[in-house]
Amino acid sequence: MSSNTRYYLDPHTLTYKPVKKNRKLFYRTTLWVSSVIFVLSISAFIFLNSYRLTPHEWILSKQNERLAEEIIQKKDAIIALRDTLVDIEENDDIIYRPFAEIKPIPKDIREAGFGGVDRYREFAGMEYADDLSSVFREFDKLKKQIEIQKKSFNEVESLVQYIDEFYAAKPAIRPISQKDEIYISSHYGMRLHPIYKRWKMHHGIDYAAQIGSPVYSTGKGIVKAAYYASGYGKVVKVDHGFGYLSIYAHLDKYIVKKGDTISRGQLVGYVGNTGSSTGPHLHYEIRKNNQTQNPLYFYMDDLEPYEYDRIVSK
Ligand SMILES: [Zn+2]
């Protein structure tokens, strides 16, 4: 009896009988299992081999990870810089530009549009492409905003150089003393014209006053004209530079001539009733770049009467 022989208990005869080996099935199963193991091993080898990094590649991949972290940190730094720039821009719009009498820069210009073409498509498909694109986008935006701010400072600086001259020249006081002014007979704006009896724009302020009341230049400048015009009557026009012109009309008499340099508060003539006028008054007009302006916006409100008297000639 071979030691390899196995036995089983036959329940009918209650005797042990040798187990017959099915050698064919055994070989077939073994072959099948071996084939599956072989195929799995080959697949695993190919799969793992394709992901296996050389030491050099491993170092590069680690470096990439670190660079990606740094890129994200740089983006945060750029955003922080932009917050600082926003503070500077606000000061520029609220303090510096108004001081130099220039308008604030609209927000949409400051925030410089970057829509449309995808400037960062070169990063497409790269690892960390989104981070790279967004950090470059933030950086480009910051660069453009800084350029705009730099131009604004240059503009303010060039005007501030002349600021003293500008404030000396700009029309800023009443053309007639409050002591002499009886009342304002007509304001700036639409009005029913006293002579033509229809609604017309009134381009200045009318001060009713006695004939002969002194009329003063409201800023430093050069007399551009002193003559008789059919509507204005005897009129003096003063060019203050910086685009400003002041006009004193219906005068009884003027005492300056074209080309005279005059200072703020200098006597230019006297109230009269010449030209298209229904009674003695001074028509006072201010133009900026040839557009009429409401003179009320030009007066120094905090000027005390004695200060006015000190400015105007006696
Ligand atoms: Zn008038």
Side-chain angles (χ1 to χ4, degrees), residues 186 191 202-206 250 281-284:
S186 198
R191 67 159 180 186
H202 184 235
H203 290 287
I205 293 183
D206 289 344
H250 312 301
H281 77 283
L282 168 72
H283 170 92
Y284 174 58

Side-chain angles (χ1 to χ4, degrees), residues 54-106:
T54 64
H56 180 63
E57 284 170 335
W58 186 82
I59 289 168
L60 282 179
S61 113
K62 285 287 153 198
Q63 282 178 344
N64 265 358
E65 275 172 29
R66 221 181 50 233
L67 285 172
E69 273 168 30
E70 276 182 32
I71 284 169
I72 291 163
Q73 281 169 9
K74 284 285 173 287
K75 187 181 164 191
D76 292 344
I78 289 170
I79 289 170
L81 280 176
R82 217 175 55 233
D83 287 346
T84 308
L85 182 62
V86 166
D87 289 343
I88 295 171
E89 288 173 344
E90 274 175 12
N91 283 344
D92 189 34
D93 282 339
I94 295 169
I95 304 168
Y96 312 136
R97 292 180 70 87
F99 180 70
E101 298 234 335
I102 36 181
K103 284 183 185 159
I105 297 176

Side-chain angles (χ1 to χ4, degrees), residues 13-80:
T13 60
L14 290 177
T15 55
Y16 285 98
K17 291 184 173 170
V19 177
K20 285 181 195 160
K21 278 183 181 169
N22 187 340
R23 287 195 174 273
K24 218 172 159 186
L25 181 68
F26 174 74
Y27 285 129
R28 206 190 292 158
T29 309
T30 308
L31 186 69
W32 173 246
V33 169
S34 306
S35 305
V36 168
I37 290 171
F38 179 75
V39 169
L40 282 177
S41 306
I42 292 290
S43 307
F45 176 78
I46 294 170
F47 178 78
L48 289 173
N49 209 35
S50 66
Y51 279 87
R52 198 167 54 105
L53 299 175
T54 64
H56 180 63
E57 284 170 335
W58 186 82
I59 289 168
L60 282 179
S61 113
K62 285 287 153 198
Q63 282 178 344
N64 265 358
E65 275 172 29
R66 221 181 50 233
L67 285 172
E69 273 168 30
E70 276 182 32
I71 284 169
I72 291 163
Q73 281 169 9
K74 284 285 173 287
K75 187 181 164 191
D76 292 344
I78 289 170
I79 289 170

Side-chain angles (χ1 to χ4, degrees), residues 173 175 177-180 212-217 255 263-270 303-314:
I173 60 167
S177 167
Q178 262 179 317
K179 286 186 297 216
D180 296 326
S213 305
V215 174
Y216 308 106
S217 172
I255 60 157
S263 55
R264 173 174 295 139
Q266 188 172 329
L267 186 68
V268 294
Y270 300 95
L303 201 61
E304 296 289 337
Y306 75 92
E307 290 174 307
Y308 181 86
D309 288 344
R310 215 163 48 196
I311 293 172
V312 302
S313 30
K314 295 288 171 297

Side-chain angles (χ1 to χ4, degrees), residues 15-306:
T15 55
Y16 285 98
K17 291 184 173 170
V19 177
K20 285 181 195 160
K21 278 183 181 169
N22 187 340
R23 287 195 174 273
K24 218 172 159 186
L25 181 68
F26 174 74
Y27 285 129
R28 206 190 292 158
T29 309
T30 308
L31 186 69
W32 173 246
V33 169
S34 306
S35 305
V36 168
I37 290 171
F38 179 75
V39 169
L40 282 177
S41 306
I42 292 290
S43 307
F45 176 78
I46 294 170
F47 178 78
L48 289 173
N49 209 35
S50 66
Y51 279 87
R52 198 167 54 105
L53 299 175
T54 64
H56 180 63
E57 284 170 335
W58 186 82
I59 289 168
L60 282 179
S61 113
K62 285 287 153 198
Q63 282 178 344
N64 265 358
E65 275 172 29
R66 221 181 50 233
L67 285 172
E69 273 168 30
E70 276 182 32
I71 284 169
I72 291 163
Q73 281 169 9
K74 284 285 173 287
K75 187 181 164 191
D76 292 344
I78 289 170
I79 289 170
L81 280 176
R82 217 175 55 233
D83 287 346
T84 308
L85 182 62
V86 166
D87 289 343
I88 295 171
E89 288 173 344
E90 274 175 12
N91 283 344
D92 189 34
D93 282 339
I94 295 169
I95 304 168
Y96 312 136
R97 292 180 70 87
F99 180 70
E101 298 234 335
I102 36 181
K103 284 183 185 159
I105 297 176
K107 221 173 156 59
D108 56 327
I109 291 182
R110 284 204 184 271
E111 284 175 2
F114 268 83
V117 192
D118 183 8
R119 293 154 181 261
Y120 313 103
R121 58 173 167 248
E122 60 188 289
F123 301 125
M126 283 187 195
E127 206 175 353
Y128 312 115
D130 287 349
D131 291 325
L132 276 171
S133 303
S134 83
V135 82
F136 271 72
R137 189 176 301 113
E138 293 298 336
F139 179 74
D140 286 347
K141 227 162 134 181
L142 181 68
K143 210 163 81 179
K144 188 107 184 258
Q145 276 177 277
I146 288 174
E147 278 165 22
I148 291 171
Q149 186 52 55
K150 195 177 154 200
K151 273 189 196 158
S152 174
F153 277 152
N154 287 344
E155 196 182 356
V156 170
E157 191 191 5
S158 65
L159 286 165
V160 165
Q161 279 178 11
Y162 303 107
I163 208 87
D164 291 343
E165 242 174 87
F166 173 74
Y167 280 118
K170 191 182 172 190
I173 60 167
R174 293 164 175 276
I176 181 170
S177 167
Q178 262 179 317
K179 286 186 297 216
D180 296 326
E181 171 194 328
I182 300 171
Y183 61 94
I184 290 179
S185 52
S186 198
H187 273 287
Y188 178 89
M190 294 300 288
R191 67 159 180 186
L192 194 59
H193 195 276
I195 292 174
Y196 305 114
K197 304 290 179 207
R198 61 186 169 88
W199 285 92
K200 269 190 84 177
M201 177 68 191
H202 184 235
H203 290 287
I205 293 183
D206 289 344
Y207 294 97
Q210 299 272 351
I211 288 186
S213 305
V215 174
Y216 308 106
S217 172
T218 54
K220 186 182 164 196
I222 292 167
V223 176
K224 193 186 174 196
Y227 66 116
Y228 184 91
S230 56
Y232 280 142
K234 283 186 186 168
V235 61
V236 171
K237 295 181 180 177
V238 178
D239 185 351
H240 301 279
F242 304 96
Y244 287 107
L245 183 82
S246 62
I247 297 175
Y248 313 82
H250 312 301
L251 301 175
D252 185 54
K253 191 181 164 192
Y254 47 77
I255 60 157
V256 289
K257 60 179 190 306
K258 187 179 172 181
D260 283 356
T261 299
I262 52 173
S263 55
R264 173 174 295 139
Q266 188 172 329
L267 186 68
V268 294
Y270 300 95
V271 171
N273 192 23
T274 57
S276 308
S277 175
T278 52
H281 77 283
L282 168 72
H283 170 92
Y284 174 58
E285 199 172 308
I286 295 177
R287 292 186 190 175
K288 188 181 182 192
N289 300 325
N290 221 20
Q291 300 281 312
T292 58
Q293 311 283 321
N294 189 341
L296 280 187
Y297 300 146
F298 286 77
Y299 299 146
M300 292 186 273
D301 291 334
D302 52 353
L303 201 61
E304 296 289 337
Y306 75 92

